[in-house]
Amino acid sequence: MSTLRGRVAGLPEWDRCAVMGVVNVTPDSFSDGGQWFDGELAVKHGLDLVNAGADLVDVGGESTRPGALRVDEAEELRRVVPVVRELAAAGAVVSVDTMRAAVAEQAIAAGAVLVNDVSGGSADPAMVPAVAAAGVPFVVMHWRGQSIDMNHRAHYTDVVAEVVAELRASVDRAVAGGIALERIVVDPGLGFAKTADHDLALLAGLAELRRELARPLLVAASRKRFLGRVLAGDQGAPPPARERDAATAAVSAIAAREGAWAVRVHEVGASADGVRVARAVEGAAAGSVQPAGSVRPAGSVPPVGSAGVV
Ligand code: PMM
């Protein structure tokens, strides 16, 4: 299994695709803007995600939706650090979603064990040295610039090949800056300087991304625009972000089956089921039907082969 998904040094190893639940402590994220802006509500939400089956929770204080303006560092710290501290103290595996080294450093001091940087270390020159010094894992996402105007950069001849090449360059920069390769996760950055067709091509190319980059892969499709377009078809208005969770869970199952290391989602339960089904199918394909992984607290899928399964 490790060969399929890869292992990330410094993190627990799950026997299937992991599920990362999203905690946006922001007033304006496209997907859940304002819902968890209050720190206490954000902590409660993070714990709810863990109870629903999240293996990790990703805490962010800055929206990266297309057109978003940056928040200042003091405000991002104010939003993120107390939430990270409480979730880590409660036993959650916490990652911090930030482009700022200072936020990463303080989140790590508060208990975060993974830094998820949508800019892959490009937005803040102090990020790679900070993560290297802390010795924590690092998510390198494919990124072509800040959200304010990223849609203008959605031009590719061969999106999979170009994302591979650009991600490889970011990984090389991170390694040259002192981050151990075994601690690096890569992410194609669905929706970041990409059209819906680009996102779908990248999902179709997950096996190639995994093979070419030879690093664990994080897939973050949750509630994104391309799903709205898929659901609406050629005509009609896309459903709002919060009505894209079933489609998100479908992507989670596909990504898990393609060997993704983790999926990043807002609604955890259905994706937690999806990755377990993928795991069971994987076991069957390998010729041995195996239980579907570690215990899931709520709405569990019974182990394959247990009584009562039709
Ligand atoms: N997308 C968002 C935020 N953080 N992190 C990673 N690694 N990959 C992503 O695609 C990604 C991300 C977009 O906003 P959201 O928090 O509402 O999903």
Side-chain angles (χ1 to χ4, degrees):
M1 240 167 326
S2 298
T3 47
L4 179 65
R5 269 177 280 282
R7 166 147 175 63
V8 184
L11 289 181
E13 189 171 8
W14 295 277
D15 72 339
R16 51 169 169 71
C17 177
V19 178
M20 175 187 274
V22 178
V23 180
N24 281 325
V25 197
T26 57
D28 59 341
S29 286
F30 80 97
S31 49
D32 53 2
Q35 259 187 300
W36 324 112
F37 190 39
D38 173 86
E40 259 179 57
L41 283 182
V43 171
K44 182 181 177 309
H45 181 57
L47 296 175
D48 287 346
L49 294 179
V50 172
N51 286 328
D55 301 296
L56 316 96
V57 283
D58 190 37
V59 180
E62 180 172 42
S63 169
T64 50
R65 74 178 197 289
L69 297 171
R70 305 244 20 217
V71 296
D72 68 39
E73 184 173 299
E75 175 62 12
E76 193 184 346
L77 284 166
R78 190 194 67 74
R79 293 178 186 180
V80 163
V81 175
V83 175
V84 168
R85 182 173 296 114
E86 283 209 41
L87 286 172
V93 179
V94 181
S95 78
V96 59
D97 183 349
T98 184
M99 291 184 267
R100 287 197 171 97
V103 177
E105 283 169 332
Q106 292 201 35
I108 292 164
V113 295
L114 170 70
V115 175
N116 172 26
D117 180 353
V118 297
S119 82
S122 306
D124 181 347
M127 179 64 98
V128 167
V131 173
V136 296
F138 188 48
V139 176
V140 173
M141 198 193 81
H142 177 262
W143 189 78
R144 284 187 163 181
Q146 295 290 350
S147 299
I148 180 82
D149 58 357
M150 66 180 172
N151 285 346
H152 302 310
R153 300 191 187 91
H155 300 290
Y156 304 84
T157 309
D158 177 340
V159 67
V160 176
E162 286 163 63
V163 165
V164 163
E166 291 168 30
L167 267 177
R168 191 175 278 140
S170 297
V171 170
D172 288 348
R173 274 195 299 276
V175 170
I179 300 177
L181 184 61
E182 315 86 78
R183 295 193 193 278
I184 292 178
V185 174
V186 292
D187 176 341
L190 300 175
F192 285 79
K194 312 209 176 51
T195 64
D197 287 339
H198 295 139
D199 290 335
L200 290 167
L202 286 163
L203 285 177
L206 286 182
E208 186 177 339
L209 285 164
R210 204 162 53 77
R211 194 175 54 245
E212 291 295 320
L213 292 161
R215 292 306 309 145
L217 204 58
L218 174 64
V219 175
S222 191
R223 298 183 176 173
K224 287 195 172 160
R225 273 172 304 162
F226 79 97
L227 293 176
R229 215 206 68 188
V230 168
L231 295 175
D234 290 338
Q235 284 114 35
R242 278 171 217 163
E243 290 171 23
R244 301 174 195 165
D245 286 333
T248 299
V251 176
S252 294
I254 292 168
R257 192 71 186 106
E258 290 293 326
W261 168 77
V263 290
R264 179 184 178 279
V265 296
H266 300 86
E267 193 278 315
V268 157
S271 285
D273 286 352
V275 299
R276 281 165 174 78
V277 171
R279 169 73 187 88
V281 174
E282 221 172 80
S288 63
V289 178
Q290 295 176 21
S294 53
V295 178
R296 184 174 157 225
S300 286
V301 178
V304 173
S306 69
V309 177
V310 181

